[in-house]
Amino acid sequence: MVGLLGRTRAQSTRRTTTPLPQRGSNEGKHRRGASAGPRSALSVRSVAGQVFVLQVVIVLLLVVSAVVALVLQVRHDSTQEARNRSLAVAETFANAPGTRAALSSPDPTAVLQPSAEAARKASNVDFIVVMSTDGIRYTHPKPDRIGKKFVGTIAPAVAGKSVVEEVNGTIGPLVQATVPVEDPGGKVVGLVSAGITTANVGGVADRQLPIVLTSAGVALALATAGTALVSRRLLRQTRGLGPYEMTRMYEHHDAVLHAVREGVIIVSGEGRLVLANDEANRLLDLPEDAEGRHVLDLGLDADTADLLASGQIVTDEVHLVGDRLLAVNQRPTDLQGGPPGSVATLRDSTELRALSGRAEVARERLKLLYDAGVGIGTSLDVRRTAEELAEVAVPRFADFVTVDLADAVLNGQEPDPVNGLRRTASGGIRGDAPLYPVGHHIGFVATSPQAHSLRTGQAVIEPALGDAPGWLAQDLQRTARVVDYGIHSLIAVPLRVGPLMMGVVNFWRSEKPEPFDSEDLALAEELVARAAVSIDNARRYTREHTMAVTLQRSLLPRNLPEQNALDIAYRYLPAQAGVGGDWFDVLPLPGARVAVVVGDVVGHGLLAAATMGRLRTAVHNFSALDLPPDELLGLLDELVGRIDQDELSEEGRSAVTGATCLYAIYDPTSRRCTVARAGHPPPAVVRPDGSVEFPDVPAGPPLGLGGLPFETAELDLEEGSRLVLYTDGLVEDRERDIDEGLGLLRTALAGADRSPEETCRAVLHALLPARPSDDIALIVARTHALGEDRIADWQVPSDPAAVGEVRASVTRRLAEWGLEEMVFTTELVLSELVTNAIRYGNGPIRVRVLLDRTLICEVSDGSSTSPHLRYAASMDEGGRGLFLVAQLAERWGTRYTPGGKVIWAEQPLQ
């Protein structure tokens, strides 16, 4: 027993296993079992039998592999020898005196057949065949084959080269060599082939195979005998036990050793510590490396150390160890022939002291309930409230506290604990407890205390977790680790308000050896009842706040559209309380241009969020008209005015108190940005060298005032510049005015070679308040220019003959761009658009083709009359041009300029 237990204390403390039986009873049975029945042989159910079978199989596989490899090698060598011999014989016969002359004789067979047969028998080959360059045999071992076609490859030999091959000839599978017979001028006048059949080639291997197999058999017999001897030795050492029986016996021994509530110390005859179970380590506070050290060197008090080292027999001898009174019982281990040494048990008897502290405990519990009323529910956050409950209860009431809530509670919804709970908060005296971590979704089994508590609505106490099969069934591996860790008692209290069941709170005890009792259960119910009200209030607030935030986020863009003009990064941060009306958008426009808009509806709540959604939708619609920024803001101004009138007409509703907006259009072909704003903070521009400026963009009145025009400003932006748009929540709050905020923004933006994403992080790090009182929207757009090599521009005279020149120019440019497959469609589109401009528009007429994400064709003229799509009748001679353009192009449309209009069409790149 001592030898088995003395492996490593680390193993015994981490695993819940079972003990070996006593040597006097079960061990004798195993001895008898090992010498009777099938176990006396090498049964495959025993460790020895399994090792024997495995070793025999390995030896057999090695022998078979060696035989196969040797046979293959012998066959390969024999075949190679056959190839060499057949080639040598063929070359010798071909170069023999008289062979060339015999081929020129009237009857080559009569001359060559006797000499070929004589040479075949002398060289020990199966055939020597002399043939013409056409493959007709002159000689053959079988005379009836003379005059027939040779079976094999002769083309290389006819060309003057020798060839060796393995074929299935007239006399069976064989290895043959064919060589040419040349006259003095180098001309091939005949062929000679010599060969050996496969049967003769394999003869060498067949003769060697019995010797190889005999050697392999001898090796296998010797290996088997050695394996049997080793296995029988192992059989005696394992006493005939199988792997499962040995594992079960060891696990049973280890589990009992560490599950007992008494400390167990085993000391060797030399006074060194062999084993100490978990309880002994706890009671004596042994160091981690105690195993193997002398008991006098473990830092114990002198009396206890001397007693353990002496090995003397004692019964219930009391020793004061630290603040514990330990009752020690010690017995030697060699009374029945065991190894020398002693085993001692330690029992903690300090529970007697607890009787004098009842009054103090009651006072502490009243103080705990008071602190819980003050410290739980300080915020309207469900998770924080659950964490406050854990903080109050640890360590004053429990060593570990976990709070499990339904996901619906965390989201502010009506809970349904049947679908499982999520670990929301966890607190403890240590951070390495093997309990479920925070965030883990837990589905409690029906037998667990938590499931019973949720089902009945009553608190459940489990005084001894190691003996609670219902709790152990929750997760066998984890629960075993929890017990090994030292957590031994549990109280599960349902967290509910009226009939509403929100989750369960678990109180765990590990440090105090005594389990939870009925008084602890009453205190736990009171704590949870106070926390339940606060958690329900936080749940209701979360529901209302989530509804408002969901509405607000659903009205904001979820994904930015694809475009090449701007690299964009953005941030949207809602306020800590309430829902605001900040919004932004990115809108691709015709001609590779991009519009960036940011706005702010003053106020908070659902009305501000709804108004924000209406304004964003309106901007989408107005941008489709391709209006200049000032005209678009004018339409938004009218819309906000109508919204105010509609709200004022309803009793009890208030109008929108104000809304601001900034609208910018960037053209990558000219690198020009047109900006207009309505009461919104000005944009910031970061030049490529890192300098920051706030362009002078006319402010304009906020939206909804009406009657005042808006003005635009044009900004020339070098490629790589960063355009920064934001709402006032970023630069203005209760602690600083807007001028101070703009100064901080300028400092945060300064710096070259930063991406938009890095710029967003730097700005928020410098300006974001700890608790924002207003929404924040931030957009950083880095500009790109459309290179001159991707732009084609032509002036077109008002002459129908010029259409052909336009088509030719476009064809050349598309070829330069590698878009030859789009020539036909592009020519047709431009022909229709240019013809319409010549026929119905005014000069000057220009054609521009842009290569961006799509191929964009633009035809501009000085007329403000827009063409419209119509369906021509079957007898009409015209009216189908725009219909064709609409069918061929992905998109097409018209935009107006101060000097006329532009008709454009976009085609996807094929």
Side-chain angles (χ1 to χ4, degrees), residues 564 790 814 817-819 821-822 826 849-856 890 906-910:
N564 290 342
R790 302 172 72 88
L814 292 183
W817 289 342
L819 301 176
E821 68 277 4
M822 301 181 66
T826 306
V849 181
L850 308 177
L851 179 59
D852 193 45
R853 299 182 68 88
T854 59
L855 184 65
I856 305 170
E890 185 178 55
E906 294 183 3
Q907 303 175 65
L909 298 179
Q910 299 178 356

Side-chain angles (χ1 to χ4, degrees), residues 117-379:
E117 284 299 296
R120 177 181 67 84
K121 295 176 180 178
S123 60
N124 197 23
V125 295
D126 289 285
F127 67 88
I128 296 178
V129 174
V130 183
M131 70 194 85
S132 66
T133 55
D134 295 328
I136 303 302
R137 299 188 186 97
Y138 293 141
T139 67
H140 196 276
K142 297 180 179 180
D144 60 331
R145 306 297 172 87
I146 297 175
K148 296 183 180 180
K149 188 73 173 181
F150 176 75
V151 179
T153 302
I154 63 174
V158 173
K161 299 180 180 180
S162 300
V163 59
V164 181
E165 60 182 346
E166 298 179 26
V167 300
N168 190 8
T170 59
I171 60 175
L174 50 87
V175 178
Q176 64 182 16
T178 305
V179 299
V181 179
E182 300 178 347
D183 60 11
K187 179 180 177 181
V188 177
V189 297
L191 306 175
V192 176
S193 177
I196 302 176
T197 60
T198 305
N200 290 335
V201 173
V204 177
D206 295 339
R207 290 190 296 271
Q208 293 182 357
L209 185 59
I211 300 175
V212 173
L213 292 178
T214 301
S215 301
V218 172
L220 178 61
L222 293 176
T224 303
T227 302
L229 293 177
V230 173
S231 300
R232 286 186 177 277
R233 174 67 176 174
L234 181 60
L235 180 66
R236 289 193 299 270
Q237 292 182 346
T238 58
R239 298 175 182 175
L241 295 179
Y244 172 76
E245 294 168 320
M246 294 184 64
T247 301
R248 183 168 58 87
M249 185 169 61
Y250 175 77
E251 290 176 347
H252 183 262
H253 167 84
D254 211 22
V256 172
L257 178 67
H258 295 285
V260 296
R261 295 294 306 276
E262 291 187 356
V264 177
I265 293 287
I266 299 178
V267 180
S268 67
E270 295 80 17
R272 296 187 178 276
L273 179 64
V274 176
L275 182 140
N277 69 349
D278 295 343
E279 187 69 7
N281 278 280
R282 186 183 69 84
L283 295 176
L284 298 178
D285 194 20
L286 297 177
E288 293 184 358
D289 59 343
E291 183 179 326
R293 295 171 57 182
H294 200 281
V295 292
L296 298 178
D297 300 331
L298 297 180
L300 303 176
D301 62 281
D303 291 341
T304 305
D306 291 341
L307 174 63
L308 296 177
S310 66
Q312 62 182 339
I313 299 176
V314 296
T315 302
D316 290 335
E317 184 173 316
V318 179
H319 286 255
L320 179 62
V321 178
D323 58 347
R324 296 185 178 94
L325 289 175
L326 302 183
V328 181
N329 291 269
Q330 185 167 268
R331 296 291 185 273
T333 58
D334 55 357
L335 295 179
Q336 298 180 358
S342 62
V343 57
T345 62
L346 312 172
R347 186 175 66 255
D348 191 354
S349 62
T350 54
E351 291 85 356
L352 297 176
R353 299 183 180 182
L355 296 176
S356 61
R358 293 283 185 176
E360 182 65 20
V361 170
R363 189 187 68 82
E364 287 294 331
R365 291 184 173 182
L366 289 176
K367 181 66 166 55
L368 175 62
L369 291 176
Y370 173 79
D371 293 341
V374 175
I376 299 176
T378 60
S379 67

Side-chain angles (χ1 to χ4, degrees), residues 590-839:
R593 298 169 303 141
V594 178
V596 183
V597 59
V598 63
D600 183 7
V601 177
V602 178
H604 294 84
L606 294 178
L607 176 60
T611 304
M612 175 267 289
R614 296 169 74 175
L615 291 181
R616 179 169 175 258
T617 302
V619 170
H620 268 266
N621 295 331
F622 294 153
S623 66
L625 301 176
D626 209 348
L627 300 174
D630 55 340
E631 294 184 20
L632 187 141
L633 291 181
L635 294 177
L636 282 182
D637 182 58
E638 295 180 7
L639 174 64
V640 173
R642 289 195 299 270
I643 293 175
D644 284 347
Q645 293 178 3
D646 294 340
E647 297 295 338
L648 288 173
S649 63
E650 298 185 18
E651 183 178 357
R653 299 292 296 274
S654 60
V656 178
T657 57
T660 66
C661 182
L662 187 148
Y663 189 85
I665 298 177
Y666 174 70
D667 187 348
T669 62
S670 62
R671 300 188 299 277
R672 179 165 296 175
C673 183
T674 306
V675 186
R677 63 188 179 114
H680 202 82
V685 175
V686 185
R687 299 295 179 181
D689 61 359
S691 60
V692 182
E693 62 182 62
F694 292 94
D696 185 13
V697 179
L703 299 176
L705 296 183
L708 297 176
F710 298 95
E711 301 180 47
T712 61
E714 293 188 349
L715 311 177
D716 291 325
L717 302 179
E718 302 92 333
E719 185 173 10
S721 299
R722 282 168 282 164
L723 180 66
V724 182
L725 309 182
Y726 52 92
T727 56
D728 58 356
L730 180 67
V731 296
E732 185 178 14
D733 62 17
R734 297 175 182 176
E735 298 181 359
R736 63 169 179 251
D737 59 20
I738 190 170
D739 291 333
E740 181 183 357
L742 291 176
L744 293 174
L745 178 61
R746 181 189 296 273
T747 303
L749 291 175
D753 299 329
R754 284 200 299 190
S755 67
E757 188 68 30
E758 293 172 341
T759 304
C760 283
R761 287 197 295 265
V763 169
L764 293 182
H765 178 73
L767 282 84
L768 183 64
R771 292 183 61 85
S773 59
D774 194 6
D775 294 3
I776 295 175
L778 172 65
I779 302 179
V780 179
R782 182 169 57 192
T783 62
H784 291 284
L786 193 63
E788 295 294 336
D789 58 334
R790 302 172 72 88
I791 303 174
D793 194 358
W794 301 281
Q795 182 80 31
V796 181
S798 297
D799 183 1
V803 177
E805 298 178 2
V806 171
R807 287 199 300 266
S809 300
V810 169
T811 300
R812 289 192 297 270
R813 182 52 62 95
L814 292 183
E816 295 175 3
W817 289 342
L819 301 176
E820 292 86 351
E821 68 277 4
M822 301 181 66
V823 168
F824 176 76
T825 304
T826 306
E827 285 183 347
L828 184 56
V829 170
L830 284 178
S831 296
E832 295 297 336
L833 296 182
V834 172
T835 301
N836 280 345
I838 294 174
R839 182 175 298 176

